[in-house]
Amino acid sequence: MSMLSNENISFLSQGELIPPNTDLVFDVELIQVHDGPKPPNVFKMIDIDSDNLLTRDELAMYLARQSQMQGVPMDLANVQNLKVLNNIFSVEDKDRDGRISHDEFTGPKHDEL
């Protein structure tokens, strides 16, 4: 790993002053790698009736729950959520049938990662 100096600052290294504008090169050893947490299956969280189709009502309820969990005031949440809802449907509902299918949905939807 290298760090190119773009600041006029000095560093101390083993008691010696490293002059300003000196490029620093570090050897980095990777000790261990861990899997991160699994992303939630957002599609399943939204799809209340488990029919593999998301309706505007299901998505609106999900957005309202998320807003409530984050402490967003209800009047502000309603305005924001309507914009988000319309935006999601304009992007995700590719066949324009008023529902977002599992195949159309581009958000996290798999448990097997």
Side-chain angles (χ1 to χ4, degrees), residues 32-58:
Q32 201 170 32
V33 176
H34 295 281
D35 289 334
K38 290 183 181 181
N41 185 330
V42 175
F43 188 91
K44 190 184 289 185
M45 294 167 63
I46 300 170
D47 187 20
I48 295 170
D49 59 7
S50 300
D51 65 352
N52 279 332
L53 296 169
L54 304 181
T55 64
R56 292 182 75 83
D57 287 342
E58 287 174 322

Side-chain angles (χ1 to χ4, degrees), residues 2-52:
S2 64
M3 185 173 99
L4 303 178
S5 177
N6 60 0
E7 303 257 341
N8 201 10
I9 57 174
S10 298
F11 297 94
L12 281 177
S13 173
Q14 299 177 3
E16 295 181 28
L17 190 63
I18 299 173
N21 299 316
T22 300
D23 294 339
L24 303 176
V25 178
F26 300 91
D27 288 328
V28 178
E29 181 180 345
L30 181 62
I31 304 293
Q32 201 170 32
V33 176
H34 295 281
D35 289 334
K38 290 183 181 181
N41 185 330
V42 175
F43 188 91
K44 190 184 289 185
M45 294 167 63
I46 300 170
D47 187 20
I48 295 170
D49 59 7
S50 300
D51 65 352
N52 279 332

Side-chain angles (χ1 to χ4, degrees), residues 18-103:
I18 299 173
N21 299 316
T22 300
D23 294 339
L24 303 176
V25 178
F26 300 91
D27 288 328
V28 178
E29 181 180 345
L30 181 62
I31 304 293
Q32 201 170 32
V33 176
H34 295 281
D35 289 334
K38 290 183 181 181
N41 185 330
V42 175
F43 188 91
K44 190 184 289 185
M45 294 167 63
I46 300 170
D47 187 20
I48 295 170
D49 59 7
S50 300
D51 65 352
N52 279 332
L53 296 169
L54 304 181
T55 64
R56 292 182 75 83
D57 287 342
E58 287 174 322
L59 189 53
M61 286 187 277
Y62 174 78
L63 293 172
R65 286 192 309 270
Q66 294 300 309
S67 295
Q68 184 180 21
M69 287 173 37
Q70 295 175 11
V72 178
M74 191 59 106
D75 56 341
L76 178 60
N78 289 337
V79 172
Q80 289 177 340
N81 290 348
L82 183 58
K83 289 179 184 178
V84 171
L85 181 68
N86 289 333
N87 186 48
I88 289 172
F89 265 84
S90 72
V91 172
E92 301 283 317
D93 185 15
K94 298 189 181 26
D95 62 6
R96 303 287 180 241
D97 67 351
R99 301 175 300 180
I100 300 170
S101 70
H102 191 267
D103 289 337

